[in-house]
Amino acid sequence: MTDQTDVIYKTDDLIAQDIDAYLEQHQHKTMLRFITCGSVDDGKSTLIGRLLYDSKMIFEDQLAALESDSKKVGTQGAEIDFALLVDGLAAEREQGITIDVAYRFFGTEKRKFIVADTPGHEQYTRNMVTGASTADLAVILIDARKGVLTQTRRHSYLAHLIGIRHIVLAVNKMDLVDYDQATYDAIVADYAAFARSIGIERFVPMPISGFKGDNITGLSASTPWYTGPSLIQHLETVEVDTTTDQAKPFRMPVQWVNRPNLDFRGFSGLIASGTVRPGDTVRVLPSGKTSTVSRVVTLDGDLDEAVAGQSVTICLADEIDCSRGDVLATADAPPQAADQFETTLVWMADEALLPGRAYWLKLGTQTVSATVQEPKYTVNVNTMEHLACKTLDLNAIGVAEITTDRAIVFEPYAEGRTLGGFILIDKITNATVAAGMLHFSLRRAQNVHWQAMDVSRAAHAALKNQQPAVLWFTGLSGSGKSTIANLVEKKLHALGKHTFVLDGDNVRHGLNKDLGFTEADRIENIRRVGEVAKLMTDAGLIVLTAFISPFRAEREMVRELLADGEFLEVFVDTPLELAEARDVKGLYKKARSGQLKNFTGIDSPYEAPESPEIRVDTTKESPEDAAERIVDHLLGWAPTI
């Protein structure tokens, strides 16, 4: 291996001389996205730094800074520490580990590359999933001194799960084991046994040294026993996923409707798979309506053909309804639409999954509300054993059923990432909490349909001469919710209104008698009550509910079930010390003594409404006055308070 200091380092002159020519040169090359992954300190960042260095993608000022940083914070003595090219965060340099996902671009004469350097530490597994989600290939690094480790297995399993079909097993740091073939062969055999157990049918092993450069751009004299390709040779020749995607049926999620003037209407998006041409018959999903492609438009003009990976605007011959979130597909082989699925979830949030809670589900350009049922099992990545569980914690991988509030267009993840892969987003914090892969729709999703009735919702309300609504009373135990709700119903009844009260204690005697007071059970309690309240509004009733309902997410879930203006949140605002002083049922006393677990306000949180329609301050307003004010507001006799 040539000493680093003897290398005359010079980037491509064409970049400085003619940037347009340089970009033109690279425009028609294929692009390979790949990740490096494995356990902590297996040399991922060093390998990427070496690839950037050897491909002449470092400018003179960057090289000077690298040499300076290597002397100050490097781990390779007087030599260049290539990892510093990628580990940009201060915490990464201090600890010598990768924390965030770092994306780098480089190119060779044959191909362009985007490489994601993903963290090896278990704590940052969610970042590895992020990097792998768009990759065509994974380079699994193994320290030749340590062999196959837990994170090697975890990252291999995740890469396979996410759909990466090209795996390179890079046995790194061969220079530290004197390029011993027996060590290399033992590691490859060990990994092969594990790979077969998780369904990885083939992988390409190679002995390398990211630091010394062995078998990176060319074959090394230090490993004469290795006759396979160098890493760059393999990366330049492996088939990219876009090539195989073009052979699949046409799919394009609509990102937006392009309507610059009255004479043009097109549907813009990135083609996920297949090929489309003017004259093709396409189907709009989920509506199922068909039309013919009249034009395929781009900024550079119309195309005779567009393929997977291209962003285009498609014009249709007919004026049919199509909007963001819909999918254009080949008419004779469309994807499915359903609202209940079996999925695999990779949990990415510090807070555990709460079964029954509503999350935003984003799949392609579709965003819907979704609830996750209690997981069927979680996967032990070391043994591949399926373990019983009630929730999913950070970095857990599990299988669970998901229900969405409306049908979405999908494909099994094994058939297509775009319509098979999704993320879950917390509705309150907007944080991404999970990445998921759809397996199949549940049979009940196809067999259970809405039954049309001749007497409509509006007819029920007209017969009762009232506007249906839900008055949702929320507050701490002992705040006075049931008392005020009872007074409101009496006043409405006296006015001839048709009402019904759903009280927290009463429904637990029947409908929800099987539920306890854990967070998951509280969520399910409110979900059921919300569904019942919705059915009652369908019957034209004014529904009053008196529940602690401690979580904002579930109160918002019920709001989303109803039409605009039908959900009125009434916050019965009573300080904890006052509610506890009342303690009509003796519950606070039991909670304080430890006899009653998961009691709201003591050892379980209450998330107060941030902008309720009505707020009742029980320290300043009597129940009778509050009830009068609520009735006036409901019937439109008073301004919003």
Side-chain angles (χ1 to χ4, degrees):
M1 182 69 197
T2 305
D3 188 88
Q4 294 171 10
T5 57
D6 294 335
V7 175
I8 299 175
Y9 195 89
K10 190 176 183 181
T11 56
D12 193 331
D13 290 335
L14 192 58
I15 300 177
Q17 295 171 359
D18 189 342
I19 187 63
D20 291 332
Y22 176 81
L23 294 174
E24 175 67 22
Q25 183 186 81
H26 283 264
Q27 183 177 356
H28 302 292
K29 294 180 182 177
T30 58
M31 170 76 77
L32 176 71
R33 294 176 177 266
F34 70 98
I35 61 168
T36 58
C37 48
S39 193
V40 176
D41 201 32
D42 277 348
K44 298 178 292 297
S45 299
T46 299
L47 174 61
I48 295 178
R50 166 61 74 174
L51 290 172
L52 295 174
Y53 184 86
D54 286 351
S55 59
K56 302 295 189 293
M57 295 302 294
I58 310 171
F59 295 105
E60 291 181 7
D61 58 337
Q62 291 177 303
L63 182 60
L66 175 62
E67 291 172 342
S68 175
D69 289 345
S70 295
K71 294 175 182 177
K72 294 176 183 177
V73 295
T75 60
Q76 304 297 339
E79 298 191 72
I80 292 177
D81 186 350
F82 293 108
L84 297 180
L85 280 171
V86 186
D87 288 339
L89 299 177
E92 294 178 321
R93 294 188 171 204
E94 290 169 3
Q95 300 178 57
I97 64 172
T98 299
I99 295 175
D100 201 359
V101 182
Y103 294 93
R104 293 292 184 271
F105 168 86
F106 71 97
T108 66
E109 292 183 0
K110 297 182 179 179
R111 178 171 278 177
K112 297 176 293 185
F113 303 93
I114 294 178
V115 55
D117 181 27
T118 60
H121 198 286
E122 182 177 355
Q123 178 182 352
Y124 305 110
T125 297
R126 54 189 167 187
N127 294 355
M128 179 269 169
V129 174
T130 301
S133 62
T134 57
D136 303 309
L137 179 146
V139 179
I140 308 289
L141 279 93
I142 294 180
D143 188 328
R145 301 168 299 172
K146 300 176 182 178
V148 178
L149 301 175
T150 297
Q151 279 297 84
T152 312
R153 297 186 180 93
R154 182 186 298 274
H155 284 186
S156 297
Y157 179 76
L158 285 170
H160 179 66
L161 185 68
I162 287 171
I164 298 176
R165 295 296 171 255
H166 301 292
I167 304 289
V168 173
L169 181 69
V171 182
N172 194 22
K173 304 186 181 182
M174 287 297 296
D175 54 305
L176 299 182
V177 294
D178 296 327
Y179 303 98
D180 181 54
Q181 183 180 1
T183 300
Y184 168 79
D185 289 343
I187 291 173
V188 172
D190 187 16
Y191 183 83
F194 167 74
R196 285 192 297 271
S197 72
I198 63 172
I200 295 178
E201 298 175 358
R202 59 183 181 274
F203 62 92
V204 178
M206 58 183 65
I208 68 167
S209 170
F211 175 55
K212 295 293 186 181
D214 296 289
N215 296 322
I216 303 299
T217 57
L219 296 183
S220 170
S222 300
T223 55
W225 41 266
Y226 174 69
T227 58
S230 68
L231 179 59
I232 283 292
Q233 288 172 340
H234 180 68
L235 295 178
E236 286 181 332
T237 56
V238 70
E239 183 180 24
V240 295
D241 285 352
T242 52
T243 304
T244 56
D245 286 342
Q246 292 173 14
K248 297 177 181 178
F250 170 65
R251 308 277 188 263
M252 191 190 83
V254 176
Q255 294 182 0
W256 67 295
V257 179
N258 189 348
R259 192 75 185 268
N261 54 59
L262 295 176
D263 299 321
F264 185 92
R265 182 169 180 255
F267 307 100
S268 303
L270 175 68
I271 300 176
S273 64
T275 302
V276 64
R277 305 174 184 85
D280 286 353
T281 303
V282 295
R283 190 179 300 273
V284 179
L285 296 164
S287 70
K289 295 180 180 179
T290 60
S291 184
T292 302
V293 176
S294 60
R295 297 174 61 189
V296 179
V297 183
T298 70
L299 187 63
D300 298 322
D302 286 15
L303 300 178
D304 294 328
E305 177 182 273
V307 298
Q310 287 184 283
S311 293
V312 298
T313 296
I314 292 178
C315 299
L316 301 179
D318 305 289
E319 288 286 337
I320 61 176
D321 184 28
C322 181
S323 58
R324 176 179 170 83
D326 289 345
V327 176
L328 294 177
T330 185
D332 56 359
Q336 307 172 57
D339 61 4
Q340 297 179 65
F341 312 91
E342 182 186 271
T343 70
T344 292
L345 290 176
V346 181
W347 197 253
M348 303 167 70
D350 293 321
E351 299 77 21
L353 162 71
L354 285 172
R357 169 159 289 182
Y359 299 94
W360 291 121
L361 183 151
K362 184 172 176 55
L363 184 151
T365 58
Q366 305 170 89
T367 301
V368 295
S369 183
T371 55
V372 185
Q373 305 307 311
E374 185 176 294
K376 295 181 177 180
Y377 59 83
T378 186
V379 179
N380 183 323
V381 296
N382 285 317
T383 64
M384 293 300 107
E385 182 182 5
H386 293 177
L387 305 175
C389 64
K390 292 187 175 296
T391 185
L392 296 176
D393 295 315
L394 176 63
N395 296 328
I397 304 165
V399 171
E401 293 181 357
I402 283 184
T403 301
T404 57
D405 64 344
R406 59 182 174 84
I408 57 174
V409 182
F410 82 102
E411 287 182 313
Y413 188 80
E415 296 178 14
R417 290 191 192 183
T418 302
L419 294 180
F422 63 90
I423 58 173
L424 294 180
I425 302 170
D426 186 281
K427 289 189 172 184
I428 301 299
T429 66
N430 283 326
T432 299
V433 296
M437 290 129 275
L438 298 176
H439 297 173
F440 50 80
S441 62
L442 302 180
R443 190 165 68 175
R444 61 176 178 267
Q446 308 297 330
N447 296 338
V448 179
H449 307 280
W450 280 105
Q451 179 64 46
M453 297 296 178
D454 291 334
V455 180
S456 68
R457 192 177 195 272
H460 282 294
L463 182 65
K464 297 174 177 62
N465 193 31
Q466 64 185 33
Q467 176 65 41
V470 172
L471 288 169
W472 191 276
F473 292 81
T474 176
L476 294 170
S477 177
S479 62
K481 299 182 299 299
S482 295
T483 300
I484 298 173
N486 184 51
L487 289 170
V488 170
E489 185 180 37
K490 287 171 64 177
K491 292 178 181 294
L492 290 172
H493 184 74
L495 293 169
K497 301 301 179 182
H498 298 259
T499 62
F500 195 86
V501 174
L502 292 169
D503 181 76
D505 283 351
N506 292 350
V507 298
R508 284 186 178 273
H509 284 288
L511 175 66
N512 293 345
K513 68 186 301 181
D514 60 317
L515 299 177
F517 291 90
T518 63
E519 287 193 0
D521 281 351
R522 287 177 184 274
I523 290 169
E524 176 60 14
N525 183 47
I526 298 306
R527 188 197 68 80
R528 293 183 191 179
V529 171
E531 293 288 353
V532 171
K534 180 181 182 300
L535 291 174
M536 287 184 166
T537 59
D538 288 344
L541 296 176
I542 296 172
V543 186
L544 301 90
T545 71
F547 291 82
I548 294 174
S549 51
F551 305 124
R552 294 189 192 103
E554 279 57 64
R555 299 194 297 266
E556 286 303 307
M557 173 188 68
V558 180
R559 184 188 294 273
E560 291 166 7
L561 289 174
L562 301 164
D564 288 344
E566 287 188 357
F567 182 89
L568 300 176
E569 188 174 37
V570 183
F571 177 29
V572 184
D573 189 0
T574 302
L576 176 62
E577 56 271 17
L578 179 56
E580 189 168 358
R582 294 173 181 171
D583 205 10
V584 179
K585 304 173 185 176
L587 300 178
Y588 283 100
K589 185 177 180 180
K590 289 182 179 180
R592 291 293 187 188
S593 66
Q595 300 177 52
L596 187 60
K597 299 294 184 183
N598 302 315
F599 190 73
T600 303
I602 304 301
D603 58 350
S604 185
Y606 177 76
E607 299 172 358
E610 295 177 327
S611 54
E613 278 73 17
I614 302 172
R615 177 177 175 270
V616 177
D617 185 346
T618 59
T619 65
K620 299 177 180 178
E621 189 174 22
S622 69
E624 188 71 31
D625 289 343
E628 189 71 34
R629 182 162 64 89
I630 292 168
V631 170
D632 288 347
H633 177 78
L634 175 68
L635 300 181
W637 298 341
T640 301
I641 299 176

